Amino acid sequence: MSRSTVLVALDPRSSGSVACDQLDRICAKLDEEGHGVARAGTASDALALTQSRADLSAALVSWDLDDPEAVLRAIMSRFTKLPVFLVTTAASVDDLPLWVSEVVSGYVWLLEDTPDFIAGRIGVAALRYLDGVLPPFFRELRRFEDTHEYSWHTPAHAGGVAFLKSPAGRAFYDYYGETLFRTDLSISVAELGSLFEHTGPIGDAERNAARIFGADLTYFVLHGDSTADRIACHASVATDELVLVDRNCHKAIYHGLTLTGGRPVYLVPTRNGYGLMGPIPPSAMRAEAVASAVGRSPFSEGAASEKPVYAVITNSTYDGLCYDAVRVAELLGATVPRLHLDEAWFAYARFNPLYARRYGMSVDADALPDEEVRPTVFSTQSTHKLLAAMSQSSMVHVKNSPRSPVEHRQFNETFMMHATTSPMYPMIAGLDVAAAMMDGPGGRWLTDEAITEAIRFRQAVARLSRRIREAADRPGWFFGTWQPDEVTDPATGHVHAFADAPLDLLRTEPGCWTLAPGADWHGFEGMEDGYCLLDPIKVSITCPGVDAAGHVAETGIPARIVTAYLETRGIVVEKTDAYTCLILFSMGITKGKWGTLLDALLDFKNLFDTDATVAEVLPNLVRTHPDRYAGLTLPQLCAQMHDQLSKSELTALLDEAFTHPTPAVLTPAQTYQRLIRGGTEPVRLADIAGRTVATQVVTTPPGIPVLMPGESTGEADGAVLRYLRALEAFDREFPGFPSETHGVHRDTAGDYWIACLRS
C-alpha cells in the first residue's frame, strides 16, 4: 500500500471533551489500520498541511472550523477526488452550501457511530482513493512485483540477486534498493504489455497520457527528446523533400535531416542586445515569405517537390519565449501539412491557463477550424526536464488534421527503428506517473506553485535593487531579471511597476508577459500583439554591462564570473551568456532554494564593492592559473573581461552571425556521406575562410548552431568567422572561462580547429 495519511481538521476547543475523546479513539483506530493521521486545530494549519502533504488519502473536516470552506476549496484545488468527510453537529445538512454537499464524500456525527465504524469508513475510502490514484502501467507493475515470482528471463541480474554475489554488486544493490531491480523486467512479461505494439498496461498508459495532454496519439520514448525529434522527422520526411527548419533548433533535428535526406530551408529567429535568441517573426512564416526563402535556397533545385512537407519550430526557446502555437499553425499551415513543435522544455504548458494557445496540442478544430489550413501537429516533449520523470524520459504527442493524418501502423514502423527492445520498466512507470501528476486539479496546482515562486523571486530581485539605489549607502548597482518594467491590469487599466504589481495579476494575466511590438525591454523586432510570451518560470538574471538594445555600458560585470562564483556556493545555473544567466523554476523549487540564490547574489555584490581579491572569490581559478589571476581584485577581473567583450563586439557579432547564416553548399545528408567516407580534414580557424564544414559548430552560449554541416564558412571578414575568432581570442585571454563550442577542437596553443570537407 502507498503511504496513507488522513487529515483531521477539527478545533478541539469547540468540540467538547466527549467529542474530543471520540476523535482520539477514531485516530487511534486509523493508526492501528496503518493510516497516518495529521491533525490540525485551525483552518490555517489545515491549509498548510493540504499544501505540503501530497500523501493525504482522506480528510475529516469539521464544519465548526474557523474557515472550513477555505479548507475544502484548497483540497479541491490540490487533489482529484480525495474523499472528504464533513464533521457536523447540526441535525440537518440542508443549510450547507450546495457546492459543499457536492464535493464531500459523506458526513460524520462523532457521537452517533462507534469509533471503529467511523475509522473503517474513512479507511476504506482512503484505500480506494489510493488504488485509483495509480495510473495504469504503474498500478499493474506494482501488482506484478507484489507476486514475488522467480525471474527466468532477462535482465540477467534476476531481480537484483546477481548483484548480491559480488562486493561491488552488493554496494550497488544496497544503494538503490530491491524494488528498482525487481521492477527492471524483460519484454517477456506479457501481462505488462508491449512498448512496440502499444498493448496492455503500456498501451493503456500511453492512451491515458494522450487524454491528459490533449493528444490524439501519444508515444512513450525512452531515449530523450533527441530521439523523439528524430522519430517525428523520420516519420514525415522522405529523401530530397524540402523542410522548413527553425535555425534555433536542437542538434537532433539535424540528425533527423541526415537520416531522411531532407533538404532544409532555414527560418531565422531574431536576437536582442543581450544575445538572447528570440522568436521567428510572423512575417517570415507567411506563405509568400516562405515561398521566397524556398526560391532562394540552393536545395530547391532537384527537390522532390517545390513545396516543403514539414516544418519544425522550437517552442519554447531555451530562454523561455513561447509562441502563440495556433497563430504559428495558421501561418505555416498555408505552406506545410505537418508542423512539429519541439517542446522539450515546455511539457507543462497545457496545465495552466497562462499558456493558453501556446502549446502544440492546443491546435485543434476549435482553435483553427479551417481544415485546408490546419496542419497535423507533433509535439515532442522532454518529460524529465520540467515535469517529474526519470532522465531520458520523453513523449511524442500527435494532433491529427485531415490534410496529413498520422496513421499509427506506418508511424509505428519508424518508432520501432528508434526504440529499444529492452525498455526499462521503471522509466515507463515514471512517464505514466508524470502524466498522472498533471491530471485534474493537480496539474494546475503544480504549475501555479512554480509560476508563483518564479514571480516572487523576480519581484524580490527588483525590490532589492530599488532598495539599494534608494539607500545610497553603497554603489547603486545590482542584478536584474529580464521581464517588462511595467505591467497593465486589463480590468482597470492601472499601470504597475513590475516590482509592485499584485501577485495574482502577474500569475494569471498573460498580457503581463507578452512581447508587445516595439517594447524596449525585450529588444526584438517584428512582433505582433500576443504572438510571443515570456515564460515566467524561465528566469534570465541580467548583469550590468549591456541592455536589451545592445547598448554597452562603461562598466560591466560579465555573467561568466558571477556563475563561477555561484558554483563555489553550490549553485549551478542552467545557461550562461555574456551578461545573462538562466535559472529554471521547476516543480521542485522552494523558497529556501531561491532565497539562497538571492543571498549569494548579494554576497557577490558585497565582494565586488569591497575590492575582494580573485583569490578570495574564486580560489580554485587562482590555484589553476596563478600567473594570470594572482593579485587581481574582483573589480579588476570584471573590468578586463568587460573590456575584452566590448572591444571584440562579441554580442553584436553573435547577433549578426546567427541572423545571417552563411551559404549552404550541401545538405546535411550529403555532407554526412562525405564524412563517413573519410572526405574531411581538420582546418585551423585562421585558414578556414571559404571552406565547407563537415559537422555542426554549436557555441554555448547560446547553444545553437552557428554553422550547419554542408555550409560555407563565408569570407574571412564575415560575421561568422569574426565571431568565432572573437571566441578564440577570449578563451586565450581568460583561461578557466572557456567557451563550450561543439564541433571545435582547441589545441594547446589555443587555436580552434574545425572539420571541413576536403577540397
Side-chain angles (χ1 to χ4, degrees), residues 458-463 466 483-485 496-502 506:
R458 288 174 181 271
Q459 290 193 305
V461 172
R463 290 166 183 165
R466 184 171 61 192
Q483 73 260 326
D485 300 318
H496 300 271
F498 180 86
D500 304 319
L506 292 176

Side-chain angles (χ1 to χ4, degrees), residues 483-489 494-501 505-506 511-514 519 521:
Q483 73 260 326
D485 300 318
E486 296 178 334
V487 296
T488 301
D489 186 339
H494 184 74
V495 178
H496 300 271
F498 180 86
D500 304 319
L505 174 67
L506 292 176
C512 294
W513 303 96
T514 53
W521 72 268

Side-chain angles (χ1 to χ4, degrees), residues 542-576:
T542 60
C543 302
V546 73
D547 62 16
H551 300 133
V552 179
E554 183 176 345
T555 60
I557 299 175
R560 296 193 198 196
I561 298 173
V562 178
T563 56
Y565 169 72
L566 293 178
E567 287 181 9
T568 70
R569 299 282 295 267
I571 300 169
V572 180
V573 304
E574 181 63 34
K575 177 174 72 76
T576 303

Side-chain angles (χ1 to χ4, degrees), residues 140-424:
E140 295 307 315
L141 181 66
R142 283 173 53 113
R143 288 176 178 168
F144 180 84
E145 193 273 329
D146 284 344
T147 62
H148 297 91
E149 294 185 1
Y150 279 117
S151 168
W152 295 92
H153 49 70
T154 59
H157 62 68
V161 174
F163 293 118
L164 302 178
K165 299 180 179 182
S166 156
R170 179 69 201 224
F172 184 67
Y173 179 93
D174 290 342
Y175 185 77
Y176 283 105
E178 181 175 353
T179 303
L180 173 64
F181 302 112
R182 290 292 178 190
T183 56
D184 183 20
L185 301 167
S186 165
I187 57 171
S188 302
V189 181
E191 53 260 60
L192 292 177
S194 166
L195 186 63
F196 272 10
E197 299 298 328
H198 311 279
T199 56
I202 292 177
D204 291 340
E206 289 181 319
R207 287 183 285 275
N208 187 50
R211 174 187 63 82
I212 293 167
F213 284 89
D216 294 328
L217 299 166
T218 289
Y219 298 85
F220 287 176
V221 180
L222 305 186
H223 299 87
D225 192 63
S226 298
T227 296
D229 284 343
R230 289 190 287 268
I231 290 172
C233 184
H234 204 180
S236 301
V237 180
T239 302
D240 291 331
E241 289 186 321
L242 294 171
V243 180
L244 300 180
V245 179
D246 186 344
R247 188 73 185 193
N248 176 16
C249 68
H250 190 271
K251 62 183 180 181
I253 302 301
Y254 149 67
H255 296 151
L257 293 172
T258 302
L259 287 169
T260 62
R263 299 184 174 200
V265 176
Y266 293 107
L267 302 176
V268 181
T270 52
R271 280 194 174 276
N272 68 6
Y274 287 122
L276 301 176
M277 183 78 80
I280 300 164
S283 59
M285 295 188 184
R286 297 182 187 278
E288 57 272 21
V290 171
S292 177
V294 169
R296 295 191 306 270
S297 172
F299 300 144
S300 59
E301 184 177 352
S305 170
E306 62 181 13
K307 289 188 176 182
V309 299
Y310 181 78
V312 56
I313 304 292
T314 303
N315 185 49
S316 73
T317 69
Y318 210 164
D319 299 297
L321 295 171
C322 41
Y323 295 89
D324 179 337
V326 178
R327 178 61 173 150
V328 170
E330 181 182 41
L331 289 166
L332 289 178
T335 302
V336 296
R338 288 190 176 186
L339 171 63
H340 171 189
L341 296 179
D342 183 356
E343 297 180 342
W345 299 84
F346 206 39
Y348 51 85
R350 174 176 165 81
F351 307 102
N352 199 286
L354 189 69
Y355 308 113
R357 291 173 54 102
R358 299 199 176 273
Y359 55 93
M361 294 302 99
S362 67
V363 184
D364 57 18
D366 291 333
L368 191 55
D370 189 346
E371 293 183 354
E372 298 298 317
V373 173
R374 187 176 73 252
T376 287
V377 179
F378 292 93
S379 174
T380 51
Q381 297 176 349
S382 193
T383 315
H384 68 94
K385 280 190 169 70
L386 287 169
L387 296 186
M390 299 174 75
S391 290
Q392 297 189 59
S393 304
S394 62
M395 299 187 199
V396 177
H397 304 296
V398 181
K399 179 73 75 173
N400 271 322
S401 166
R403 288 177 64 192
S404 181
V406 169
E407 199 279 314
H408 167 71
R409 289 181 181 274
Q410 179 178 326
F411 185 85
N412 199 48
E413 289 299 317
T414 305
F415 177 88
M416 290 191 292
M417 290 183 191
H418 297 267
T420 175
T421 55
S422 301
M424 190 175 185

Side-chain angles (χ1 to χ4, degrees), residues 655-698:
D655 178 27
E656 190 175 353
F658 281 90
T659 55
H660 296 82
T662 53
V665 179
L666 297 173
T667 68
Q670 291 167 341
T671 307
Y672 184 73
Q673 294 302 312
R674 297 274 294 272
L675 174 70
I676 62 173
R677 289 181 171 84
T680 67
E681 61 183 355
V683 180
R684 194 190 307 269
L685 181 61
D687 306 319
I688 206 172
R691 298 296 297 269
T692 301
V693 294
T695 59
Q696 279 182 314
V697 177
V698 181

